[in-house]
Amino acid sequence: MAERIDAIVEFLKARGSAKPRAVKMLSNSVNSLFMKRLEEEELAKIMDELVRQKIVITNGSKVSYQLPGKP
């Protein structure tokens, strides 16, 4: 799980200001990052972990980010 979270953080950093702004779009982006090979349950666990670690902050269907290493 930690390696996947790290990969997602690097992916989001690389996106700059073009990061997904909706939960569904973020979910689709994460799934695409892993070649769409994630089971729905596995994807949900990853999304929950991103929120738990406060990397992703959800507000309804919108998301914002607090990526590590950012000033």
Side-chain angles (χ1 to χ4, degrees):
M1 178 67 82
E3 290 117 12
R4 286 185 171 170
I5 297 298
D6 290 344
I8 293 165
V9 167
E10 291 306 313
F11 167 74
L12 291 171
K13 284 181 181 178
R15 297 281 307 258
S17 62
K19 290 185 280 298
R21 295 287 171 214
V23 174
K24 185 68 177 160
M25 291 300 294
L26 176 59
S27 180
N28 289 342
S29 294
V30 168
N31 200 18
S32 293
L33 180 64
F34 294 106
M35 312 284 192
K36 298 190 187 276
R37 292 187 180 154
L38 297 176
E39 297 292 330
E40 206 157 311
E41 184 178 308
E42 197 173 7
L43 184 56
K45 284 181 184 176
I46 290 170
M47 296 295 290
D48 289 344
E49 186 63 17
L50 288 169
V51 171
R52 190 187 70 74
Q53 291 187 22
K54 295 184 171 69
I55 295 167
V56 171
I57 296 101
T58 59
N59 183 4
S61 65
K62 302 289 181 194
V63 293
S64 57
Y65 304 91
Q66 286 187 316
L67 300 175
K70 229 180 153 183

